[in-house]
Amino acid sequence: MYSSRKIDFPMIKTTLAKVAEVYVHLPRYIIVGALSAGVNIIVFWIVNSKTGNIYMATLLGNLISVFVNFSGLTHVFKSKFFSYAILRYSISLVVFYFLSISITLLISSMGISDVLARSITLCLLFPIGYLVNRY
């Protein structure tokens, strides 16, 4: 027969809460990411046009945009453990730098301008960056 006992689905509630959290964070993450990418591309373009060195331009672009990105992300994800967040973020920056260089050089070797190659690289790495910074 019919039971009046309430059925609880904690796993479904947890999953739905995580999905809802992504939709709350994603617009703010996109704004911070766009500002950071804009700074990154502008610095990359300036340094690359002066030096012609993609390695140096990528490094300086990443370093300058870190300030925008890190300060924005600490507000988006509301990190409770600041020193732990810095350590995780630093590790992700090193990995991101080598991925950025590799992909930018690969795209640039196809005959695409360095700045456009850098822009495409940042777009390709955006979803990966979101997941790494979030989790």
Side-chain angles (χ1 to χ4, degrees):
M1 290 273 179
Y2 178 74
S3 173
S4 63
R5 188 170 44 167
K6 186 177 180 181
I7 299 174
D8 192 22
F9 298 102
M11 187 171 182
I12 291 174
K13 286 181 182 176
T14 303
T15 303
L16 289 175
K18 286 182 179 179
V19 169
E21 196 172 280
V22 168
Y23 284 105
V24 168
H25 289 156
L26 197 55
R28 290 184 288 173
Y29 183 80
I30 289 172
I31 291 169
V32 170
L35 288 172
S36 177
V39 168
N40 196 323
I41 290 170
I42 289 169
V43 172
F44 175 86
W45 173 67
I46 291 169
V47 173
N48 192 40
S49 66
K50 298 290 183 196
T51 66
N53 187 335
I54 290 179
Y55 296 99
M56 182 63 67
T58 301
L59 178 64
L60 290 176
N62 285 355
L63 287 175
I64 301 296
S65 71
V66 160
F67 296 109
V68 174
N69 201 10
F70 186 73
S71 63
L73 291 180
T74 55
H75 294 295
V76 170
F77 295 125
K78 299 193 180 10
S79 178
K80 294 179 181 124
F81 304 105
F82 193 71
S83 60
Y84 179 65
I86 289 175
L87 176 64
R88 277 188 351 191
Y89 190 72
S90 299
I91 292 169
S92 71
L93 281 178
V94 171
V95 171
F96 185 78
Y97 173 74
F98 288 110
L99 279 173
S100 293
I101 286 290
S102 301
I103 295 171
T104 302
L105 288 173
L106 176 70
I107 295 171
S108 183
S109 71
M110 293 180 206
I112 296 175
S113 75
D114 293 343
V115 174
L116 184 58
R118 183 74 182 133
S119 301
I120 293 168
T121 300
L122 290 175
C123 290
L124 291 173
L125 292 177
F126 180 81
I128 296 167
Y130 175 79
L131 293 174
V132 167
N133 287 313
R134 175 67 186 109
Y135 300 108

